[in-house]
Amino acid sequence: MWTIIHKMGSPPWFFRISGVLVRWLLPITVMLLVCGALWGLLVAPPDFRQGNSYRIIYIHVPSAVVALAGYYVMAFAGAVSLIWRIKMADVTMRAAAPVGAVLTAIALVTGAIWGKPTWGTWWVWDARITSMLILLFLYLGVVALFEAYENKTAAARACAVLSLVGTVNIPIIYKSVDWWYSLHQPASIKFTGESAIDASMLYPLLLMIVAFYCLFAVAVLLNMRAELTWQHREAGWLRQIVSGA
Amino acid sequence: MSYSKTSIWQPMSSEVASLSIWGAFARQFMRHCKSLVGSPADAINPLLFFFMVVTLFPLGLGPDPQRLAGMAPGILWVVALLSSLMVSAKLFASDYEDGSLEQLAMAPYPLAVLVMGEVAAHWIATGVLLALVSPVFATMLGLSSAALPTLVASLMLGTLSLTLIGAVGSALTVSIRRGGLLLSLLIIPLNVPVLIFGTTAVSEAVIDGNTVSWLALLGGLALGSLALLPLAIGAALRVSLDN
């Protein structure tokens, strides 16, 4: 058990393994994305109230789901790096933050695009939209804090503290925004969620969620490899791997 | 904040070294109270800021008393949040610059406890004071007098959480030059629940509704922050000292 963890903490070992992982995961991700997108956009039946405009959920829902999960990945990596001082955990956290921020932004933008034809407005201060916006701020805070520190080891630990505080806070934020919304606007728009989704629409959606998880993993791995390459640009083992020896 | 900064552990006799944790906390607390008495601007400036920003709202929204009264809970709470943001930017700045933070980090007591002494003094000087003065501003905005006790209570409880969250942000950014903007990005999202609970408590008080549960939520947040955040503040300060 411990040997595996120690191996995972070693950059050369990780660099090799992640290379193999990416080589397999990248084609799988592309395949899943293409299949899910074709299924969702072409094969799944149109919604009887929203017509074809609902199809944006095949991008919107997966990115929102993975954006939320991404924060916990980041915070977990942060906790590992604080407790065991494993360098690779720092790199994971550093790599996950921008990916999560981009996914959150995609969820917000696609939500706005969907809202225009459906609700007649780009933006509503709906509970879930507001929570996603706050999640975006939390992500951006971590990214900005990392950039602001000169000493990158200290930066990783600072981000770890911040993301742990954020993790404890996220459920409270979600609950409070929920209450805030139900107090201010007695449910005016209620056809997002409650209505059960038909299997013919659900399966492509599930496929897309899996595809987005893979996409997240690939993006984080590539990000980590880029970061490692930069950190160890002088190291002999990296030259060996890159030159294919 | 220039008062006696260099002489934190000056009388290094055996009596000082054997302070209990509470003794160490009290000593830090007293030190910061004294420094606040020495430079009262640190406590008065946030109040002035509060006053001025509250003045901006009638100018921006128009003088209609009814409209202002309706918005008063939100205005008061948002401005309280902003003023806590403003003061927490320099919470640890002078300690960091003159090196006393490093001394504290080497002291034989948990950094979290020592820092809490400072945060507590800071809360009393800014949060409690703001809460006590807030009825004046609330009356100027036309908030019904029945809601004033709730306003004071909610600000009292809420500013404790705001101060603690602000202290985490301040501890994380103290070693960064021009960290002010970054600080607001870091702590505004974390302050959202406090703002929502606080505004709702006051709004409920205006319509004579259920204020107790919202105040209880604020109290819960304050206690939770009090239990967990000192650890985060201590850890963040140690990180900043390494930077």
Short mmCIF file of all heavy atoms in Angstrom, two decimals, chain A residues 148-175:
data_model
loop_
_atom_site.label_atom_id
_atom_site.label_comp_id
_atom_site.label_asym_id
_atom_site.label_seq_id
_atom_site.Cartn_x
_atom_site.Cartn_y
_atom_site.Cartn_z
N ALA A 148 -0.57 34.27 -7.46
CA ALA A 148 -0.05 35.42 -6.75
C ALA A 148 1.18 35.08 -5.90
O ALA A 148 2.02 35.95 -5.64
CB ALA A 148 -1.13 36.02 -5.86
N TYR A 149 1.33 33.82 -5.48
CA TYR A 149 2.47 33.45 -4.64
C TYR A 149 3.72 33.28 -5.49
O TYR A 149 3.64 32.75 -6.60
CB TYR A 149 2.17 32.14 -3.91
CG TYR A 149 1.56 32.32 -2.55
CD1 TYR A 149 0.24 32.69 -2.42
CD2 TYR A 149 2.31 32.10 -1.40
CE1 TYR A 149 -0.33 32.85 -1.18
CE2 TYR A 149 1.74 32.26 -0.15
CZ TYR A 149 0.42 32.64 -0.04
OH TYR A 149 -0.14 32.79 1.19
N GLU A 150 4.85 33.72 -4.95
CA GLU A 150 6.08 33.53 -5.68
C GLU A 150 6.67 32.15 -5.43
O GLU A 150 7.11 31.47 -6.34
CB GLU A 150 7.10 34.61 -5.30
CG GLU A 150 6.94 35.85 -6.15
CD GLU A 150 7.66 37.03 -5.55
OE1 GLU A 150 8.71 36.84 -4.92
OE2 GLU A 150 7.15 38.15 -5.74
N ASN A 151 6.64 31.74 -4.17
CA ASN A 151 7.13 30.42 -3.81
C ASN A 151 6.03 29.40 -4.08
O ASN A 151 4.99 29.41 -3.43
CB ASN A 151 7.52 30.43 -2.33
CG ASN A 151 7.91 29.08 -1.82
OD1 ASN A 151 7.72 28.06 -2.47
ND2 ASN A 151 8.47 29.06 -0.62
N LYS A 152 6.25 28.51 -5.07
CA LYS A 152 5.14 27.66 -5.52
C LYS A 152 4.79 26.56 -4.51
O LYS A 152 3.67 26.07 -4.51
CB LYS A 152 5.46 27.06 -6.88
CG LYS A 152 5.45 28.10 -7.99
CD LYS A 152 4.11 28.88 -8.03
CE LYS A 152 4.17 30.06 -8.97
NZ LYS A 152 3.06 31.00 -8.80
N THR A 153 5.74 26.18 -3.67
CA THR A 153 5.41 25.20 -2.63
C THR A 153 4.45 25.82 -1.64
O THR A 153 3.45 25.21 -1.24
CB THR A 153 6.68 24.75 -1.88
OG1 THR A 153 7.73 24.59 -2.83
CG2 THR A 153 6.44 23.45 -1.16
N ALA A 154 4.76 27.06 -1.24
CA ALA A 154 3.86 27.77 -0.34
C ALA A 154 2.52 28.01 -1.01
O ALA A 154 1.46 27.89 -0.37
CB ALA A 154 4.48 29.09 0.09
N ALA A 155 2.56 28.31 -2.33
CA ALA A 155 1.31 28.56 -3.05
C ALA A 155 0.39 27.36 -2.98
O ALA A 155 -0.81 27.49 -2.73
CB ALA A 155 1.62 28.89 -4.51
N ALA A 156 0.98 26.16 -3.17
CA ALA A 156 0.15 24.95 -3.14
C ALA A 156 -0.48 24.77 -1.78
O ALA A 156 -1.66 24.41 -1.67
CB ALA A 156 1.01 23.75 -3.50
N ARG A 157 0.30 25.04 -0.71
CA ARG A 157 -0.27 24.85 0.63
C ARG A 157 -1.35 25.89 0.92
O ARG A 157 -2.37 25.59 1.53
CB ARG A 157 0.84 24.89 1.67
CG ARG A 157 1.58 23.56 1.72
CD ARG A 157 2.88 23.66 2.49
NE ARG A 157 2.69 24.17 3.83
CZ ARG A 157 3.58 24.89 4.49
NH1 ARG A 157 4.73 25.19 3.90
NH2 ARG A 157 3.35 25.30 5.70
N ALA A 158 -1.12 27.13 0.43
CA ALA A 158 -2.14 28.16 0.63
C ALA A 158 -3.43 27.77 -0.07
O ALA A 158 -4.52 27.89 0.49
CB ALA A 158 -1.63 29.50 0.10
N CYS A 159 -3.29 27.27 -1.32
CA CYS A 159 -4.49 26.87 -2.06
C CYS A 159 -5.17 25.69 -1.38
O CYS A 159 -6.40 25.59 -1.38
CB CYS A 159 -4.13 26.48 -3.48
SG CYS A 159 -3.65 27.89 -4.46
N ALA A 160 -4.37 24.81 -0.78
CA ALA A 160 -4.96 23.67 -0.08
C ALA A 160 -5.81 24.15 1.09
O ALA A 160 -6.94 23.69 1.28
CB ALA A 160 -3.85 22.73 0.41
N VAL A 161 -5.28 25.10 1.87
CA VAL A 161 -6.06 25.65 3.00
C VAL A 161 -7.34 26.28 2.48
O VAL A 161 -8.44 26.02 2.99
CB VAL A 161 -5.22 26.69 3.77
CG1 VAL A 161 -6.08 27.40 4.80
CG2 VAL A 161 -4.03 26.05 4.43
N LEU A 162 -7.20 27.07 1.41
CA LEU A 162 -8.38 27.77 0.87
C LEU A 162 -9.42 26.78 0.37
O LEU A 162 -10.61 26.91 0.65
CB LEU A 162 -7.95 28.71 -0.25
CG LEU A 162 -9.10 29.46 -0.91
CD1 LEU A 162 -9.75 30.41 0.07
CD2 LEU A 162 -8.62 30.24 -2.12
N SER A 163 -8.97 25.74 -0.36
CA SER A 163 -9.97 24.85 -0.93
C SER A 163 -10.61 23.99 0.16
O SER A 163 -11.77 23.60 0.02
CB SER A 163 -9.37 23.98 -2.04
OG SER A 163 -8.22 23.33 -1.61
N LEU A 164 -9.88 23.73 1.25
CA LEU A 164 -10.52 23.00 2.36
C LEU A 164 -11.58 23.86 3.03
O LEU A 164 -12.68 23.38 3.33
CB LEU A 164 -9.47 22.55 3.38
CG LEU A 164 -8.64 21.35 2.93
CD1 LEU A 164 -7.61 21.00 3.98
CD2 LEU A 164 -9.54 20.16 2.67
N VAL A 165 -11.26 25.12 3.26
CA VAL A 165 -12.27 26.02 3.84
C VAL A 165 -13.47 26.09 2.91
O VAL A 165 -14.63 26.03 3.34
CB VAL A 165 -11.67 27.43 4.07
CG1 VAL A 165 -12.75 28.40 4.50
CG2 VAL A 165 -10.58 27.38 5.12
N GLY A 166 -13.20 26.16 1.59
CA GLY A 166 -14.28 26.20 0.62
C GLY A 166 -15.13 24.94 0.64
O GLY A 166 -16.36 25.00 0.54
N THR A 167 -14.48 23.79 0.83
CA THR A 167 -15.22 22.54 0.83
C THR A 167 -16.21 22.47 1.97
O THR A 167 -17.34 22.03 1.80
CB THR A 167 -14.23 21.36 1.00
OG1 THR A 167 -13.19 21.54 0.07
CG2 THR A 167 -14.92 20.05 0.75
N VAL A 168 -15.77 22.91 3.16
CA VAL A 168 -16.69 22.91 4.29
C VAL A 168 -17.84 23.87 4.01
O VAL A 168 -18.99 23.63 4.37
CB VAL A 168 -15.94 23.31 5.58
CG1 VAL A 168 -16.90 23.40 6.75
CG2 VAL A 168 -14.83 22.32 5.87
N ASN A 169 -17.51 24.95 3.31
CA ASN A 169 -18.50 26.01 3.10
C ASN A 169 -19.49 25.70 1.99
O ASN A 169 -20.62 26.18 2.02
CB ASN A 169 -17.75 27.31 2.78
CG ASN A 169 -18.40 28.49 3.44
OD1 ASN A 169 -19.60 28.67 3.33
ND2 ASN A 169 -17.62 29.28 4.14
N ILE A 170 -19.09 24.89 1.00
CA ILE A 170 -19.95 24.71 -0.18
C ILE A 170 -21.35 24.20 0.18
O ILE A 170 -22.34 24.79 -0.27
CB ILE A 170 -19.26 23.78 -1.21
CG1 ILE A 170 -18.27 24.60 -2.03
CG2 ILE A 170 -20.29 23.19 -2.16
CD1 ILE A 170 -17.60 23.82 -3.11
N PRO A 171 -21.50 23.17 1.01
CA PRO A 171 -22.87 22.74 1.33
C PRO A 171 -23.67 23.86 2.01
O PRO A 171 -24.86 24.02 1.72
CB PRO A 171 -22.66 21.57 2.29
CG PRO A 171 -21.26 21.14 2.10
CD PRO A 171 -20.49 22.33 1.66
N ILE A 172 -22.99 24.64 2.86
CA ILE A 172 -23.69 25.74 3.54
C ILE A 172 -24.13 26.78 2.52
O ILE A 172 -25.25 27.27 2.55
CB ILE A 172 -22.79 26.37 4.62
CG1 ILE A 172 -22.31 25.31 5.60
CG2 ILE A 172 -23.51 27.48 5.34
CD1 ILE A 172 -21.32 25.83 6.60
N ILE A 173 -23.23 27.10 1.58
CA ILE A 173 -23.57 28.08 0.55
C ILE A 173 -24.78 27.58 -0.25
O ILE A 173 -25.74 28.32 -0.47
CB ILE A 173 -22.37 28.33 -0.38
CG1 ILE A 173 -21.23 29.02 0.36
CG2 ILE A 173 -22.79 29.17 -1.58
CD1 ILE A 173 -19.99 29.24 -0.45
N TYR A 174 -24.74 26.31 -0.65
CA TYR A 174 -25.83 25.78 -1.47
C TYR A 174 -27.15 25.84 -0.73
O TYR A 174 -28.16 26.25 -1.27
CB TYR A 174 -25.51 24.34 -1.89
CG TYR A 174 -24.76 24.32 -3.18
CD1 TYR A 174 -23.54 24.98 -3.28
CD2 TYR A 174 -25.28 23.71 -4.30
CE1 TYR A 174 -22.85 25.00 -4.47
CE2 TYR A 174 -24.59 23.74 -5.50
CZ TYR A 174 -23.38 24.39 -5.58
OH TYR A 174 -22.70 24.42 -6.76
N LYS A 175 -27.11 25.44 0.54
CA LYS A 175 -28.34 25.43 1.32
C LYS A 175 -28.85 26.87 1.51
O LYS A 175 -30.05 27.13 1.37
CB LYS A 175 -28.07 24.78 2.68
CG LYS A 175 -29.27 24.17 3.36
CD LYS A 175 -29.83 23.02 2.55
CE LYS A 175 -31.35 23.10 2.56
NZ LYS A 175 -31.96 22.32 1.50
#
